[in-house]
Amino acid sequence: MGKSLESTLKQRLVDDCESRLRPFLEYCADAYFLHDLEGNILDVNQTACDHLGYTRAELLNVNVTEIEQLSSPKDLLNEWKLLVPGKPHLWTGINRRKDGSTFPVEGHNQRFETQGHSLVVALVRDVTERKLAEEKLRQAATVFENATEGVIVTDAEANIVTINKAMTKISGHSEAEVFSKKPSLWKSGRHQQAFYQDMWTSIQQTGQWRGEIWNRRKSGEAFPCWQTISAIKDDAGNVTHYVSIVSDITTVKETQSKIEHLAHHDSLTDLPNRLLFNARLEHAIRIAHRDQHQIGLIFLDLDNFKRINDSLGHPVGDCILQSVGVRLNTQIREVDTLARLGGDEFTLLLEEIAHPEEASIVAEKVLDIFNNPFEVKGHQLHVTPSIGISVYPEDGEDVTTLVRNADTAMYSAKAKGGNTYQFYTSEFTEKASERIRLESQLRYAVERNEFRVYYQPQYNSQTVRLTGAEVLVRWQHPDLGLLAPAKFITLAEETGLILTIGEWVLHAACSQIKNWRDQGLNLQRISVNVSGKQLQRSGFLETVQAVLDETGCRAQWLELEVTEGLIMNQADKAIGFLQGLREMGVAIAIDDFGTGYSSLSYLKQLPVTKLKIDRSFIQDIPHDSDDQAIAEAILALGKSLQIKVCAEGVESEEQKMFLKSTGCDEQQGFLYSRPLPANEFIEILKKETVI
Ligand code: C2E
Ligand code: CA
Ligand code: CA
């Protein structure tokens, strides 16, 4: 070094500069270099030595072009040459240490002339730390922007400062739309206030909350998220920001439920598989055990299905199984479970049945859906099932037993030639077929004119004068003789035949009273029982009106008896409905009163003209003081609401006297008369009329 300057001169120049700069350089954090236009170093400070790993003496023998790596030596020389004296030049570069390692620098240099020589002074700063920080920030920003998770940054008051691209995509909001708003703008409304309170408590206590949460997109759609919220604190421990990471787990959830579905459903028919069926049955058994009701399990196996598979091939077989699934599905109530256990075996779970015959009704319907042939790939195929039925708890109290016994019953259906059903308990099969016999006979009973109308007189308690008669139906069965309503009314209600029967009874009774009155016999009123099924049917009012018109019976001669339970079950409908009847002039009695838990306030709103105390409360009078009290309470209630009260089932003098003394308006019962056919009842009428 120092080839172009003599060493004495060099020393002088250095001394001169040093005297001016040295105090400043002492405290300088930057490396200081003094070099000539060729890059020969004349002077450095300690910082330069520290940065570059040379001793001062070594460094004075190094050329600047060997240190600076970013620009080529030629460019550097050029640069120095072009420097304008007195004007600082800023630059960035990469310096090389003695050990060969490099580090980023930033510097500025300035050229000056002294004693006829051009020198360059440079102050160079190691920017490793800053570059690293910048790089980190840049990386963080890249991560922030490109993360698949949504990121929300808020200030300490939870005002949104920024959100990333992913959050924009997830929520549908742009950054501008949410800026300075609260993250609660994404609230789904699916969580209670307490949920959010717990969340904030956790953030305050632990600095973090994570969990599953439902948020709402701009579109209004709610979606499930996995969310982490962290509080960011400064050195003093004060929260400056909250950062929230949001993963949209909609698809995860969807996949989960898809997998769940696949695990529990049969892929061919998409019906529940054995796994799900067993689970449902087990659940149903628990409920049935608790609520003391019966369950029906129908096991169905296609007859000769193997032959179809063998002769026409599996694809045809598969199509049939699918069609069977579809047809069966139309036959079940929403609460029941239809499943395919495998092969050509289907099961149907009837979660609550009132009696085993109910399962046989379903089995009948199932048989019906096989009446039409299945059309598969140009083939018209007749397929029939064999059905076995087991009933909880009679035929088993656990899943395995119930399924096994239904399966056994199915085999006895097969043994009978298929296309039929059998109960595991043969007695049920008999009952069911008896019921079916009765049902088909009941269907023809109306047209065969097998119903009879009986009349039971009702009397005024005080005067013992006839006030009216209750109309009670009987069925004159060709083989079984005269059947009481208990034998067929429920069946008629279940099959809907009650509509025809009820209308027939109403018609018969109305024309009978008209007939008697035309003969001058004084029957003031007939009471006709009406089933819930009739009331539920729209057009009942019109039917009543039509019957009155056709028979010439006046509305005020007619009273309809409706059971208490029926009105209470259909509270809102009932008021309007009964109102309609009252407007027509028809009287309304609540039958079996005291058994249906009427609310008194409700009773007040009903346009009712009579309460009939249920026979069960009369029965044990005067021996049972509770019943007596109930009867008295009903009487008091009737009085306060100004509704007449009729006691039914009066069988003894004591009952009669008790009711008379407590102010009961009317009485009816075997003590006075059993229900009588018209030709016998007319005798009572005649006597009454004479008196
Ligand atoms: P209900 O409306 O409570 O009718 C009174 C029942 O009590 C009648 O039985 C009657 O024969 C019986 N009974 C009357 N007095 C006495 C008595 O002193 N002691 C005893 N032990 N029983 C007495 P029935 O005729 O067998 O009718 C039974 C039920 O069938 C009726 O109960 C009613 O709910 C229903 N029913 C009868 N006819 C019809 C009808 O035409 N349509 C509808 N929907 N239901 C009817
Ligand atoms: Ca009645
Ligand atoms: Ca009754």
Side-chain angles (χ1 to χ4, degrees):
M1 132 148 251
K3 279 197 185 101
S4 46
L5 288 174
E6 283 170 2
S7 57
T8 45
L9 170 63
K10 199 165 74 181
Q11 198 50 52
R12 250 192 301 118
L13 292 175
V14 170
D15 291 347
D16 178 34
C17 291
E18 203 171 32
S19 65
R20 296 187 213 195
L21 297 172
R22 200 43 75 179
F24 155 69
L25 288 176
E26 282 309 311
Y27 303 102
C28 188
D30 296 344
Y32 155 75
F33 298 87
L34 180 69
H35 61 86
D36 62 17
L37 290 188
E38 271 96 53
N40 299 306
I41 296 177
L42 280 67
D43 190 18
V44 292
N45 65 357
Q46 187 54 43
T47 312
C49 300
D50 293 346
H51 283 179
L52 296 168
Y54 291 101
T55 62
R56 179 179 271 264
E58 283 170 337
L59 211 45
L60 293 179
N61 280 311
V62 176
N63 191 285
V64 175
T65 56
E66 292 169 49
I67 297 171
E68 175 49 37
Q69 300 294 302
L70 192 63
S71 309
S72 66
K74 210 173 121 205
D75 288 345
L76 283 172
L77 293 177
N78 232 349
E79 210 178 286
W80 295 327
K81 223 176 272 159
L82 292 173
L83 287 174
V84 180
K87 209 169 159 210
H89 168 65
L90 296 172
W91 53 271
T92 57
I94 293 172
N95 280 1
R96 198 172 73 130
R97 295 192 187 90
K98 184 183 172 189
D99 65 9
S101 62
T102 58
F103 59 99
V105 293
E106 245 176 47
H108 67 269
N109 48 15
Q110 197 168 331
R111 175 176 166 175
F112 64 95
E113 309 293 324
T114 179
Q115 302 182 18
H117 289 274
S118 290
L119 293 182
V120 177
V121 64
L123 286 172
V124 181
R125 177 167 299 179
D126 179 348
V127 293
T128 307
E129 292 287 320
R130 214 189 69 208
K131 284 278 176 198
L132 274 178
E134 275 175 11
E135 178 62 15
K136 246 191 186 158
L137 266 181
R138 208 176 51 75
Q139 280 172 356
T142 314
V143 169
F144 176 78
E145 267 318 307
N146 297 311
T148 43
E149 282 93 7
V151 181
I152 308 160
V153 181
T154 75
D155 63 17
E157 276 73 50
N159 302 306
I160 296 169
V161 179
T162 179
I163 61 172
N164 69 348
K165 251 196 259 160
M167 192 58 206
T168 299
K169 219 166 126 195
I170 292 170
S171 71
H173 289 100
S174 71
E175 190 176 356
E177 276 176 310
V178 300
F179 180 73
S180 91
K181 302 233 170 77
K182 303 274 183 198
S184 57
L185 82 121
W186 289 299
K187 248 191 193 176
S188 65
R190 290 202 182 189
H191 303 285
Q192 305 277 323
Q193 202 47 43
F195 175 86
Y196 295 103
Q197 268 160 11
D198 289 352
M199 179 166 116
W200 278 107
T201 310
S202 162
I203 295 170
Q204 270 152 15
Q205 285 172 356
T206 68
Q208 208 180 51
W209 178 87
R210 57 174 52 148
E212 219 176 285
I213 182 170
W214 281 83
N215 286 323
R216 191 174 295 285
R217 300 186 218 277
K218 189 183 176 184
S219 65
E221 177 200 4
F223 65 105
C225 304
W226 178 258
Q227 195 161 347
T228 308
I229 304 174
S230 309
I232 309 292
K233 294 180 180 163
D234 62 15
D235 293 339
N238 300 314
V239 173
T240 59
H241 294 89
Y242 294 102
V243 175
S244 183
I245 316 248
V246 179
S247 317
D248 183 345
I249 52 172
T250 310
T251 44
V252 176
K253 287 252 159 187
E254 279 169 4
T255 317
Q256 253 174 17
S257 70
K258 233 186 238 161
I259 289 171
E260 204 130 290
H261 185 87
L262 283 177
H264 290 110
H265 289 78
D266 158 43
S267 57
L268 181 65
T269 58
D270 206 36
L271 292 173
N273 61 12
R274 188 187 290 271
L275 202 66
L276 181 54
F277 179 79
N278 286 354
R280 295 254 177 98
L281 178 55
E282 200 172 312
H283 181 250
I285 289 173
R286 263 203 306 278
I287 304 287
H289 177 74
R290 188 193 68 196
D291 296 350
Q292 298 284 300
H293 64 236
Q294 292 178 303
I295 298 173
L297 174 52
I298 294 185
F299 194 107
L300 179 156
D301 185 289
L302 301 181
D303 299 329
N304 301 319
F305 185 68
K306 192 173 174 311
R307 217 179 50 208
I308 293 175
N309 254 346
D310 291 348
S311 58
L312 301 172
H314 284 267
V316 172
D318 284 354
C319 281
I320 289 188
L321 291 174
Q322 281 171 335
S323 308
V324 168
V326 171
R327 285 194 194 179
L328 284 173
N329 236 333
T330 61
Q331 280 309 316
I332 61 165
R333 302 174 301 177
E334 210 160 311
V335 291
D336 300 330
T337 298
L338 170 67
R340 178 171 170 244
L341 299 194
D344 58 344
E345 292 177 350
F346 293 84
T347 46
L348 190 48
L349 168 63
L350 311 175
E351 294 209 8
E352 184 180 345
I353 54 173
H355 42 77
E357 288 100 297
E358 226 174 85
S360 67
I361 297 173
V362 177
E364 290 283 332
K365 281 199 211 157
V366 169
L367 289 174
D368 280 349
I369 68 163
F370 287 88
N371 283 345
N372 294 326
F374 291 85
E375 278 215 32
V376 182
K377 305 200 160 131
H379 303 278
Q380 290 248 341
L381 297 165
H382 273 281
V383 182
T384 56
S386 290
I387 296 170
I389 306 172
S390 62
V391 175
Y392 168 91
E394 285 81 355
D395 302 334
E397 299 192 18
D398 60 84
V399 170
T400 319
T401 316
L402 280 171
V403 173
R404 192 188 57 224
N405 290 346
D407 189 29
T408 307
M410 184 276 292
Y411 275 104
S412 56
K414 280 236 192 285
K416 288 207 155 26
N419 198 20
T420 185
Y421 67 87
Q422 289 287 303
F423 279 90
Y424 179 71
T425 303
S426 53
E427 184 193 320
F428 291 159
T429 309
E430 278 150 32
K431 265 204 182 138
S433 43
E434 185 188 302
R435 182 199 149 94
I436 285 162
R437 228 184 357 261
L438 207 63
E439 185 187 325
S440 68
Q441 290 167 338
L442 194 61
R443 272 179 207 286
Y444 297 110
V446 178
E447 49 192 77
R448 290 182 186 159
N449 208 14
E450 289 171 356
F451 291 110
R452 303 284 177 266
V453 174
Y454 276 53
Y455 298 86
Q456 186 175 32
Q458 297 168 324
Y459 294 93
N460 181 305
S461 285
Q462 307 301 326
T463 63
V464 201
R465 294 288 303 265
L466 186 73
T467 55
E470 178 170 5
V471 177
L472 295 156
V473 70
R474 304 282 181 266
W475 179 10
Q476 187 63 57
H477 191 277
D479 315 318
L480 305 171
L482 194 68
L483 296 183
K487 287 264 190 292
F488 61 91
I489 290 287
T490 312
L491 182 60
E493 282 178 332
E494 282 169 3
T495 52
L497 287 168
I498 192 70
L499 297 173
T500 328
I501 299 170
E503 196 177 329
W504 181 88
V505 171
L506 184 65
H507 200 281
C510 286
S511 59
Q512 185 63 76
I513 190 172
K514 167 75 170 137
N515 178 296
W516 281 329
R517 290 188 70 108
D518 284 349
Q519 294 178 40
L521 295 168
N522 186 21
L523 179 61
Q524 292 170 38
R525 182 183 32 73
I526 44 165
S527 302
V528 178
N529 291 288
V530 173
S531 151
K533 278 270 155 59
Q534 290 170 274
L535 289 182
Q536 280 160 17
R537 191 63 178 274
S538 63
F540 180 69
L541 290 182
E542 288 78 2
T543 305
V544 173
Q545 189 59 60
V547 169
L548 292 176
D549 293 345
E550 283 165 29
T551 57
C553 172
R554 294 212 194 131
Q556 57 269 32
W557 301 341
L558 179 62
E559 180 177 75
L560 295 180
E561 292 192 8
V562 188
T563 58
E564 184 184 9
L566 182 88
I567 296 176
M568 291 306 141
N569 288 341
Q570 312 220 334
D572 297 336
K573 247 179 157 179
I575 295 186
F577 198 78
L578 299 179
Q579 205 82 52
L581 286 169
R582 284 300 297 132
E583 276 160 22
M584 284 165 60
V586 174
I588 292 156
I590 299 193
D591 207 355
D592 305 344
F593 191 78
T595 59
Y597 311 105
S598 300
S599 86
L600 294 187
S601 62
Y602 184 65
L603 193 62
K604 243 164 60 181
Q605 302 172 43
L606 290 175
V608 164
T609 43
K610 189 189 283 178
L611 301 179
K612 293 190 78 175
I613 308 178
D614 191 60
R615 202 175 56 208
S616 59
F617 300 119
I618 305 299
Q619 220 164 304
D620 292 330
I621 291 174
H623 309 296
D624 187 322
S625 58
D626 283 350
D627 282 353
Q628 201 157 316
I630 290 172
E632 275 173 319
I634 295 174
L635 287 163
L637 179 68
K639 224 166 253 148
S640 76
L641 294 178
Q642 292 177 314
I643 300 174
K644 281 211 160 91
V645 178
C646 172
E648 55 181 11
V650 180
E651 295 182 351
S652 72
E653 275 300 324
E654 282 149 315
Q655 290 164 353
K656 173 181 163 183
M657 294 321 288
F658 168 78
L659 291 164
K660 184 180 171 186
S661 70
T662 47
C664 178
D665 300 279
E666 290 173 13
Q667 299 188 20
Q668 164 188 0
F670 292 173
L671 177 69
Y672 297 93
S673 166
R674 294 194 170 252
L676 301 170
N679 61 343
E680 290 177 36
F681 185 77
I682 198 170
E683 299 307 325
I684 291 180
L685 273 184
K686 280 180 181 156
K687 246 192 281 166
E688 274 291 322
T689 315
V690 172
I691 294 166

